[in-house]
Amino acid sequence: MAHEFKTQRRVSFAETDCAGIAHFSGFFRYMEDAEHEFLRSLGLSVQHESDDGSVVGFPRISAHCEFSRAVRFEDVVDIHLWLSGRRKSVLEYSFRLSCEGQEVAIGELVVIACRVTPDHALEVADLPAPFADQLEVAPYGPLEFRSRTGKQSGGDS
Amino acid sequence: MAHEFKTQRRVSFAETDCAGIAHFSGFFRYMEDAEHEFLRSLGLSVQHESDDGSVVGFPRISAHCEFSRAVRFEDVVDIHLWLSGRRKSVLEYSFRLSCEGQEVAIGELVVIACRVTPDHALEVADLPAPFADQLEVAPYGPLEFRSRTGKQSGGDS
Amino acid sequence: MAHEFKTQRRVSFAETDCAGIAHFSGFFRYMEDAEHEFLRSLGLSVQHESDDGSVVGFPRISAHCEFSRAVRFEDVVDIHLWLSGRRKSVLEYSFRLSCEGQEVAIGELVVIACRVTPDHALEVADLPAPFADQLEVAPYGPLEFRSRTGKQSGGDS
Amino acid sequence: MAHEFKTQRRVSFAETDCAGIAHFSGFFRYMEDAEHEFLRSLGLSVQHESDDGSVVGFPRISAHCEFSRAVRFEDVVDIHLWLSGRRKSVLEYSFRLSCEGQEVAIGELVVIACRVTPDHALEVADLPAPFADQLEVAPYGPLEFRSRTGKQSGGDS
């Protein structure tokens, strides 16, 4: 059983913006790529081919990130992913991103197993057996998002 | 005083993914672009040039989106933005995205006014006067995110 | 019969990079989006559903852009597309991008009609009839790319 | 003196499109990231800080790619970069991208050294000394682009 994964990522030039820092939307791609790398490390794919030939994917139902420091071109971001929730069809991944030992962001992706129907609609499905067999919730508390706790952010009073 | 803005956006081919739907990270760009369009409609820019020549920008300190339906290539997304919070340095924008009358996502961006220092660091600043003069909080309640209310999502029990 | 199209596009914040200008890769998305808008204006889609239910798409076989000026956040780019070549399966689009009357880039996309086979492979197909019926080559000469004419670029001798 | 570099890249989910393949615009980012990785391997950065404190960057003046095969989510792309041209201010990089031993694309980026002036304009500059000292043209012939040789592509006659 696995519950966490660590990886690194270097900020690309194209990921920066004219404020000179990595654009915030890229953090969601970092988190998703880390999720997929975690699954690959277990022999799983986020595009799961079932035994019956159907494909189960994991569309995101929630994505959340809080940013505390900027990162810049060529910075290396350390990404710590852990599974913070698991239900019949839903996986909740939490992320802590840091750079040179300082936290830069925390994030969360909530995804739901869906089977793609022949007419390209999405239909909620149970977690595929290899996911259910190998993934367990990490022994860490949930992330404390400022917006969830009611504490607001950033130097204001 | 302004507190809301409505715009539209058509899903680009490059914004879709191999699940056949718009990739979730694009919704954060949609929301940000709508914010900038709202500001432009008031003669403001998210890269604000102060009278003293310094630039005040608005890095995001939180970005959150919950997704309820997929959208696809060439779908037109209706975006409703409103200012759901305002403090000394912080603006909180809420978003409701729909397609053909059906909600597809709700989202929130929290941004903080920062002055770029000569050595390219970011320093919290007050809202520039033209922002403070023209922006007011909308008379709508806050968004009810599933993750904030504790209600979880998506067909599981 | 149609052979050209004009549209506009405003540079998004996320499309800029830490050099303070629109990242070059975004120009390819601008060109592609203009192509799709051109087709839509004719009632066509780049994802063409044939009468037999199969889908014909247009993967790119060549993409080329030469850049002469930078554009920045909130600049409005004028895009002029014209059909510069057409063969049995291939369409060649040329593009001139300008900003405030000054050329910023020229580009070319060459695309090939392909049917997606049941096992997700791509198979070259004839131009679908509605494309063949409505698209004609523009009465303009081909673009003179520096690299094609052997003239090299940019202030060097 | 260095003239080439090899690296690998795995196709991300967000880089795919609804045709089920990696979107073509991503190849330009792959090429650019490989260029920057090549420079880093030599202790150089594409954002070069000169001894006088000014920054020399390398905006692209031409970007060209020809595509021969599709790649998909989780495919690993082998990237071979070589320096195919070098003049006073200009570097020309050529690329061959392959997957499991089969060529998927060839490409070219032509970049020009520019100093950013205090008013944020770009001004052509000589190659910085560490670039001139370490980079040499590779002993390979130039790429034969179909569009350059006049041979057109793709199953048509």
Side-chain angles (χ1 to χ4, degrees):
Chain A
M1 301 287 278
H3 63 259
E4 69 181 329
F5 188 70
K6 295 185 179 183
T7 187
Q8 285 191 320
R9 174 92 171 220
R10 191 182 288 274
V11 177
S12 280
F13 196 84
E15 292 168 348
T16 61
D17 62 33
C18 61
I21 63 178
H23 191 260
F24 82 101
S25 65
F27 284 72
F28 291 99
R29 296 182 167 216
Y30 287 12
M31 295 195 295
E32 184 178 66
D33 287 346
E35 167 205 350
H36 297 173
E37 198 179 346
F38 168 52
L39 295 177
R40 261 197 309 278
S41 75
L42 302 172
L44 304 174
S45 171
V46 77
Q47 287 214 304
H48 177 77
E49 295 192 27
S50 297
D51 290 341
D52 65 1
S54 68
V55 169
V56 174
F58 289 84
R60 277 82 254 273
I61 52 178
S62 177
H64 193 176
C65 200
E66 287 185 352
F67 309 93
S68 41
R69 300 177 72 85
V71 289
R72 294 165 193 274
F73 175 50
E74 298 197 321
D75 281 349
V76 174
V77 179
D78 293 291
I79 302 173
H80 179 196
L81 165 161
W82 67 94
L83 191 68
S84 49
R86 179 193 141 174
R87 287 176 304 134
K88 202 158 73 80
S89 304
V90 171
L91 295 171
E92 182 183 300
Y93 298 100
S94 292
F95 299 87
R96 198 172 294 278
L97 290 78
S98 56
C99 183
E100 298 186 347
Q102 295 200 286
E103 185 174 294
V104 297
I106 56 173
E108 187 182 270
L109 294 177
V110 187
V111 306
I112 186 162
C114 285
R115 182 166 282 109
V116 181
T117 67
D119 58 334
H120 299 288
L122 298 170
E123 191 172 80
V124 175
D126 288 353
L127 291 179
F131 283 68
D133 291 347
Q134 291 191 69
L135 299 177
E136 64 180 347
V137 173
Y140 308 134
L143 281 169
E144 292 212 2
F145 286 112
R146 292 179 296 247
S147 62
R148 197 180 283 169
T149 56
K151 280 183 287 184
Q152 269 295 338
S153 51
D156 272 14
S157 57
Chain B
M1 302 286 279
H3 64 258
E4 70 181 327
F5 188 70
K6 294 185 180 184
T7 187
Q8 284 192 319
R9 173 92 169 220
R10 191 182 289 273
V11 177
S12 281
F13 196 84
E15 292 168 348
T16 61
D17 62 34
C18 60
I21 63 179
H23 190 260
F24 82 101
S25 66
F27 284 71
F28 291 100
R29 296 181 167 216
Y30 286 13
M31 297 195 294
E32 184 177 68
D33 286 348
E35 168 205 350
H36 298 172
E37 198 180 346
F38 169 52
L39 296 177
R40 262 197 309 279
S41 75
L42 302 172
L44 303 174
S45 172
V46 77
Q47 287 214 302
H48 177 76
E49 295 193 27
S50 298
D51 291 341
D52 65 2
S54 68
V55 170
V56 173
F58 290 84
R60 277 82 253 271
I61 51 177
S62 177
H64 193 175
C65 200
E66 286 184 353
F67 310 93
S68 42
R69 298 178 73 85
V71 288
R72 294 166 194 273
F73 175 51
E74 298 197 322
D75 281 350
V76 174
V77 180
D78 292 291
I79 302 173
H80 179 197
L81 165 161
W82 67 95
L83 192 69
S84 49
R86 179 193 143 174
R87 286 175 306 132
K88 203 158 71 82
S89 304
V90 170
L91 295 171
E92 182 182 299
Y93 297 100
S94 293
F95 300 86
R96 198 173 295 277
L97 289 78
S98 56
C99 182
E100 297 186 348
Q102 294 201 284
E103 184 174 295
V104 297
I106 55 173
E108 187 182 88
L109 295 177
V110 187
V111 307
I112 187 162
C114 285
R115 182 166 281 107
V116 181
T117 67
D119 58 335
H120 299 287
L122 299 170
E123 192 171 78
V124 175
D126 289 354
L127 291 179
F131 282 68
D133 292 348
Q134 292 191 67
L135 300 178
E136 64 180 346
V137 173
Y140 308 134
L143 282 169
E144 293 214 1
F145 286 112
R146 293 179 296 247
S147 63
R148 198 180 281 170
T149 57
K151 279 182 286 183
Q152 268 296 336
S153 51
D156 271 14
S157 58
Chain C
M1 300 287 276
H3 64 258
E4 69 182 327
F5 188 71
K6 294 184 179 185
T7 187
Q8 285 191 321
R9 174 93 170 220
R10 192 182 289 273
V11 177
S12 281
F13 196 85
E15 293 168 347
T16 62
D17 62 33
C18 60
I21 64 179
H23 191 260
F24 81 102
S25 66
F27 284 72
F28 291 100
R29 295 181 168 217
Y30 287 13
M31 297 195 294
E32 184 178 65
D33 287 347
E35 167 205 352
H36 297 174
E37 199 179 345
F38 169 52
L39 296 177
R40 262 198 308 279
S41 75
L42 302 171
L44 303 175
S45 172
V46 77
Q47 288 213 304
H48 177 76
E49 295 192 27
S50 297
D51 290 342
D52 65 1
S54 68
V55 170
V56 174
F58 289 85
R60 277 82 254 270
I61 53 178
S62 176
H64 192 176
C65 200
E66 286 183 354
F67 309 93
S68 42
R69 298 178 72 85
V71 289
R72 293 165 195 274
F73 174 50
E74 298 196 321
D75 281 350
V76 174
V77 180
D78 292 291
I79 303 173
H80 179 196
L81 165 161
W82 66 95
L83 192 68
S84 50
R86 179 193 141 173
R87 286 176 303 133
K88 203 158 70 81
S89 304
V90 170
L91 295 172
E92 181 183 299
Y93 297 100
S94 292
F95 299 86
R96 199 172 295 277
L97 289 77
S98 56
C99 182
E100 298 186 346
Q102 294 201 285
E103 185 174 295
V104 296
I106 56 173
E108 187 182 88
L109 294 178
V110 187
V111 306
I112 187 162
C114 285
R115 183 166 280 108
V116 181
T117 67
D119 58 334
H120 300 287
L122 299 170
E123 192 171 79
V124 175
D126 288 353
L127 290 180
F131 283 68
D133 292 348
Q134 292 191 69
L135 300 178
E136 65 181 346
V137 173
Y140 308 134
L143 282 170
E144 294 213 0
F145 286 112
R146 291 179 298 247
S147 63
R148 196 180 284 170
T149 58
K151 279 183 286 184
Q152 268 296 336
S153 50
D156 270 13
S157 58
Chain D
M1 300 287 278
H3 63 258
E4 69 182 326
F5 187 71
K6 294 184 179 184
T7 187
Q8 284 191 321
R9 174 92 169 220
R10 191 182 290 273
V11 177
S12 280
F13 196 84
E15 293 168 348
T16 62
D17 62 33
C18 60
I21 64 179
H23 191 260
F24 81 101
S25 66
F27 285 71
F28 291 99
R29 295 181 168 216
Y30 287 11
M31 297 195 294
E32 183 177 67
D33 287 346
E35 167 205 351
H36 297 172
E37 198 179 345
F38 169 52
L39 296 177
R40 263 198 309 279
S41 75
L42 302 171
L44 304 174
S45 172
V46 78
Q47 287 213 302
H48 177 76
E49 295 193 26
S50 297
D51 290 342
D52 65 1
S54 68
V55 170
V56 174
F58 289 84
R60 277 82 253 271
I61 52 179
S62 177
H64 192 175
C65 200
E66 286 184 354
F67 308 94
S68 42
R69 299 178 73 85
V71 288
R72 294 165 195 274
F73 174 51
E74 299 198 318
D75 281 349
V76 174
V77 180
D78 292 291
I79 303 173
H80 179 197
L81 165 161
W82 66 96
L83 192 68
S84 50
R86 180 194 141 173
R87 287 175 305 131
K88 203 157 72 80
S89 303
V90 170
L91 295 172
E92 182 183 300
Y93 297 100
S94 292
F95 299 86
R96 199 172 294 276
L97 289 79
S98 56
C99 182
E100 297 186 346
Q102 294 201 284
E103 185 173 294
V104 297
I106 57 173
E108 187 182 270
L109 295 177
V110 187
V111 306
I112 186 162
C114 284
R115 183 166 282 106
V116 181
T117 67
D119 58 334
H120 299 287
L122 298 170
E123 193 171 79
V124 175
D126 289 353
L127 290 180
F131 283 69
D133 292 349
Q134 291 190 68
L135 299 179
E136 65 179 346
V137 173
Y140 309 135
L143 282 170
E144 294 214 1
F145 286 112
R146 292 180 297 246
S147 62
R148 197 180 282 169
T149 57
K151 279 182 286 183
Q152 269 294 339
S153 50
D156 271 14
S157 57

